[in-house]
Amino acid sequence: GQRAFVGRVAMDRHCPENYADKTAEEGVKASEASCRAFFVDDCGSDRGDAKKGSALVKPALTPRFVPTSSPKLLEGIGRLAAQWP
């Protein structure tokens, strides 16, 4: 069967303004919210095991690349990666 990893792109510098997170903190918060969205049903209820979710679709933490991601954003995404293996 097929599997997917899906995530938002986090970047906070050197990119078009309408693509950028306003701050590194905002980018980390939005990325965490994206991960959590995989574990909430259509009615907004938590499914229980916050890190179990679907066996076929998993969240991905996706900083764009070094030139568009500040060290603070990369550090925050790294902390999230430790929480959401």
Side-chain angles (χ1 to χ4, degrees), residues 33-64:
S34 176
C35 287
R36 289 189 184 284
F38 282 86
F39 307 110
V40 175
D41 67 23
D42 293 336
C43 297
S45 299
D46 191 324
R47 291 184 185 156
D49 183 350
K51 296 193 179 165
K52 186 175 178 187
S54 170
L56 299 177
V57 181
K58 299 285 186 186
L61 294 164
T62 51
R64 175 75 172 152

